[in-house]
Structures are given as C-alpha cells and as structure tokens.
Amino acid sequence: MGSASRRPWLTIGGHVALDLCNTRAWRLDPARSIDRLHGWPDLLDWYATVCPDAAPLGEQGKHAAELDRVRTLRDTTIAVLDAHLDGHDPGADQLGRILTEYRRFLRAATPEPGLPLRLHVTGTDAATLPPRLCAHVVNLLRDADLTRLRRCDGPGCGSFFLDPTRNRSRRWCDPDDCGNRHRVREYARRHPRTSRKT
Ligand SMILES: [Zn+2]
C-alpha cells in the first residue's frame, strides 16, 4: 500500500489550506509540475502530517471520489489565490465551487460547547475529509491576513505561504530549497569564470 516514493511533505505555508495548495509542486513549470496527491494513502499521510490532532480517518479503499473532490478544492483554491495575487477578483464560479463543498461541511458540522463558535466534523468516514479541508480553505479566504500571502520567487515553484516576518521580506518557500538555488544562480552570475554552468 502507499505510494512508491514518499518524501517529507512541504509544510511551509503557515496555513493548512496553503499546505494543501503546495501539494501541487513546481506548478508554474509544466515540465516539472507534479501532483503529490497520487492516491488516497498519500492524502491520508499528508493530512496526518499537517493536522496531527485531527481524528484519523480509515485507510480502507481508494476513495477516488473523495480524492477527486480534495483535488478540485485544492486546484480551485490555487486559482482563487493566483487571481488575488495577480490583482484580479476571483470568479464567482470558483468561489461558488468552494461554497458547494463548504455547504457539505456545514451540514456535517457540530458546534463545540462555548464561545467563540467553533464548528468541526467528527467521524472517521472518508467522506468527511473534503469538507474538513474546505473549512480550512474558507478560514484562509475569510479570516487570514491575505496581505501577507506570497508566492515563492523561485522560477516555476509557485508555492504559497503567509509571510510572518515583521518587514514582510520573505521571498522563498524554503531558504534551503528555492532560496539556495537563487544564491547559486546569483553566485554564478557574479563569478562567470569560476563557476560552472549546469
Ligand atoms: Zn519555492
């Protein structure tokens, strides 16, 4: 079971919904773009990493329909965030697609006692995962400080994160990844005779 090559999940987004978007790696480079959510076991593994306190879900079955709904939710969220960062209003059809999944969340949710009002979905059924993740997406789009939303500056990367720095200077998904590649490129540019181009 499981996928052949599991690597650590990228959890640099600062928000579960952004980490979900970032499971589509190198999404701005068609030659390198990969969907890291190959199958249901990948999705469960990712979910246990980013939401370790959430109720675990059963691993039986392929749950192709639920996986498809999570992918649709992710790709719609990516389109909404790209539009926002590019200075456009996200389309009503895209937001409506997210709302459709959010209605499922509201139907399945129960309130925690007390205030502020908190809703969550209990149960270990596979069908609860898309609405659970949609609640994170709606939280991001409605409650997060989107003035801190960034796309990694790495060519082709496209990873999203919320910049937590005081002077809003973060540029890279990961300083050891895209940040390091940038430093190598800059070094090669400044020292063309001593560095080998690859
Ligand atoms: Zn990056």
Side-chain angles (χ1 to χ4, degrees), residues 10 12 26 151-159 161 171-174 177-179 181:
L10 197 62
I12 51 83
W26 297 105
R151 255 180 321 225
C152 176
D153 272 0
C157 176
S159 291
F161 55 87
R171 295 179 59 191
W172 314 109
C173 58
D174 183 343
D177 194 344
C178 284
R181 267 189 285 275

Side-chain angles (χ1 to χ4, degrees), residues 107-121:
R107 276 199 295 274
T110 52
E112 291 179 17
L115 293 177
L117 178 63
R118 289 182 206 284
L119 302 174
H120 65 268
V121 173

Side-chain angles (χ1 to χ4, degrees), residues 69-70 73 96-106 127 129-134:
R69 270 165 56 196
V70 170
L73 175 68
R97 217 169 294 147
I98 292 171
L99 189 61
T100 298
E101 192 66 69
Y102 192 58
R103 287 194 186 99
R104 292 188 178 117
F105 168 80
L106 290 174
L129 188 47
R132 285 192 209 193
L133 292 174
C134 189

